[in-house]
Amino acid sequence: MKKYNIAVVGASGMVGGELLGLLESRRFPVGEFYAFNSGRKPARVIFRGKKYACSAPSFEALRKADIAFFVSNEEVSEKFAPRLAAAGVWCVDDSSQFRLAAGVPLVIPEVNGAELKPARRLIAGPNCTLTGAAVALAGIHRKFRVTELRIATYQAVSGAGKAAMRCLEEELRGYFKTGRVPVLKDRKFPHPIAFNLFPQVGGFDAAGNTGEENKVEAELKKIWGDSRVKISCTSVRVPVLRGHSLALWFKTARPCSPAALRAELRRTDGLAFFEKPEDYPTPLKHGDRTDVVYAGRLRRAKTAANEYQLWVVSDNLYKGAALNSVQIAERIVKL
Ligand SMILES: NC(=O)c1ccc[n+]([C@@H]2O[C@H](COP(=O)([O-])OP(=O)(O)OC[C@H]3O[C@@H](n4cnc5c(N)ncnc54)[C@H](OP(=O)(O)O)[C@@H]3O)[C@@H](O)[C@H]2O)c1
């Protein structure tokens, strides 16, 4: 079997750690392996039982790879990915840098895997929040056309990386020591997150929407290849460690029924659908190292005859990032 030299830029991060584990557990045919971090502090990762020292990336070092996974930040992706892709290296980018760029496919394999083409070597993976909605409603959108979609998100702390996880841990430790949640000096969020939540993920635009809310709208439209669908979102950060949850309200153009929607959800690729109302998914059980998106509590909304509600949970670090990237790689080696 042909083997592929793999580079992971951001190997010491939250998504990077999961990516390494998935390449190993899914037996991706890895030849040489190269691990990169910021180079600011020494870090080692373990891959297939062997320790690798991480170093700062350079174009020459990355060029040795057949596939480079970018799981660091926008600046790093911008600096290396387009040039590497032009040189023939497959670049799978989890940052938001190129998601909306023309000519860069934004891919969830089970939703729009046909976008992957041999000539398009730079591929973006979507924001971890919208992945659940994009997968759960993909079949319903194809069959009944979603015209309007309202989303309230409940986003885990790990979605903001390892520094955010450290903040939550420190706040909790402080609370159990003193009885008060400390306000940390170098906190990652606008407010303490322990025993709290806030409707702000990212900065605000002039209209009062956050960066995350705008990403959800724009990226979902691109993935579904449909700019007509009206999307409005409120993104909320909650003190959950892992697993993003979504409350969805959607209207359809074509007439449907709860039974027809249930049938569609049952056959949607990459989705596990719970039929009984009391069997709904939760992040602790269904958002932690899970390969599929989970949905439940489908019901007719009380606000309009053609409006329905659905509850969705997915693992932001797996399907929202590392697993989706590995699944992209599994497809591109077959192109
Ligand atoms: N967390 C999620 O749920 C999620 C979901 C979808 C997409 N993403 C995206 O995935 C990327 C990684 O997120 P994360 O949550 O894993 O962040 P993280 O835990 O903060 O990890 C960031 C990683 O990037 C490395 N890095 C930072 N600056 C670098 C530089 N100049 N050159 C090379 N490497 C550098 C860090 O290395 P050091 O350890 O040396 O700092 C670390 O390995 C981000 O673009 C994020 O938007 C994250």
Side-chain angles (χ1 to χ4, degrees):
M1 183 198 264
K2 181 171 166 24
K3 293 199 168 172
Y4 297 84
N5 296 340
I6 298 294
V8 178
V9 183
S12 59
M14 294 236 54
V15 178
E18 302 297 345
L19 191 65
L20 266 54
L22 285 162
L23 287 169
E24 202 170 324
S25 64
R26 293 172 73 89
R27 298 176 191 282
F28 192 86
V30 179
E32 296 299 319
F33 175 75
Y34 314 104
F36 300 96
N37 71 343
S38 69
R40 285 189 288 268
K41 47 188 180 280
R44 278 166 191 261
V45 293
I46 297 176
F47 181 61
R48 293 190 302 201
K50 197 173 153 196
K51 281 186 188 157
Y52 291 83
C54 297
S55 56
S58 68
F59 181 76
E60 291 66 37
L62 286 167
R63 213 185 159 163
K64 293 186 201 152
D66 298 301
I67 303 172
F69 293 98
F70 284 87
V71 287
S72 55
N73 59 45
E74 283 69 31
E75 294 73 34
V76 175
S77 297
E78 168 70 40
K79 185 170 173 191
F80 296 110
R83 210 148 67 93
L84 277 174
V89 178
W90 289 101
C91 295
V92 183
D93 182 21
D94 257 319
S95 84
S96 61
Q97 188 62 25
F98 300 105
R99 289 177 186 156
L100 300 178
V104 175
L106 176 62
V107 176
I108 299 175
E110 55 271 62
V111 177
N112 64 342
E115 291 290 312
L116 297 169
K117 304 266 161 58
R120 296 155 127 193
R121 297 266 157 156
L122 171 52
I123 299 147
N127 172 286
C128 47
T129 309
L130 63 96
T131 310
V135 171
L137 296 182
I140 289 176
H141 183 55
R142 254 179 248 123
K143 192 152 186 185
F144 301 106
R145 193 160 82 76
V146 174
T147 53
E148 290 179 29
L149 173 60
R150 290 171 183 75
I151 309 177
T153 79
Y154 307 80
Q155 298 182 218
V157 172
S158 58
K162 61 184 178 180
M165 292 289 271
R166 272 198 301 269
C167 281
L168 173 58
E169 283 162 20
E170 216 174 305
E171 286 171 6
L172 288 173
R173 262 199 303 275
Y175 173 81
F176 288 117
K177 213 163 149 189
T178 66
R180 296 175 72 89
V181 177
V183 179
L184 305 175
K185 262 203 255 79
D186 57 349
R187 65 176 190 262
K188 181 84 186 163
F189 293 130
H191 304 279
I193 185 64
F195 307 114
N196 199 12
L197 56 82
F198 37 85
Q200 184 186 353
V201 180
F204 292 101
D205 68 13
N209 293 302
T210 64
E212 187 82 348
E213 289 156 0
N214 290 329
K215 282 181 198 169
V216 166
E217 179 190 1
E219 293 182 25
L220 197 44
K221 286 179 176 180
K222 179 166 175 177
I223 290 166
W224 281 355
D226 188 346
S227 57
R228 293 168 304 174
V229 51
K230 291 180 181 158
I231 300 170
S232 131
C233 174
T234 296
S235 285
V236 182
R237 185 74 68 187
V238 296
V240 162
L241 292 175
R242 180 165 175 159
H244 289 351
S245 305
L246 309 171
L248 307 178
W249 289 255
F250 59 96
K251 285 186 183 170
T252 58
R254 296 181 199 110
C256 57
S257 63
L261 292 175
R262 273 198 298 275
E264 197 53 48
L265 289 170
R266 274 196 295 268
R267 57 174 168 255
T268 296
D269 219 7
L271 182 75
F273 172 57
F274 295 118
E275 308 245 355
K276 291 190 201 150
E278 65 273 23
D279 280 345
Y280 51 80
T282 63
L284 201 57
K285 187 164 179 191
H286 303 96
D288 191 348
R289 296 198 165 82
T290 48
D291 287 359
V292 296
V293 171
Y294 291 86
R297 298 211 57 211
L298 175 77
R299 63 209 188 274
R300 207 187 277 278
K302 294 183 178 179
T303 35
N306 61 339
E307 185 166 25
Y308 295 87
Q309 286 176 253
L310 190 68
W311 174 252
V312 171
V313 174
S314 64
D315 184 346
N316 53 295
L317 291 171
Y318 262 31
K319 192 57 203 162
L323 174 65
N324 196 65
S325 292
V326 174
Q327 288 169 327
I328 289 173
E330 288 168 349
R331 295 245 184 154
I332 58 185
V333 299
K334 291 189 186 136
L335 287 175

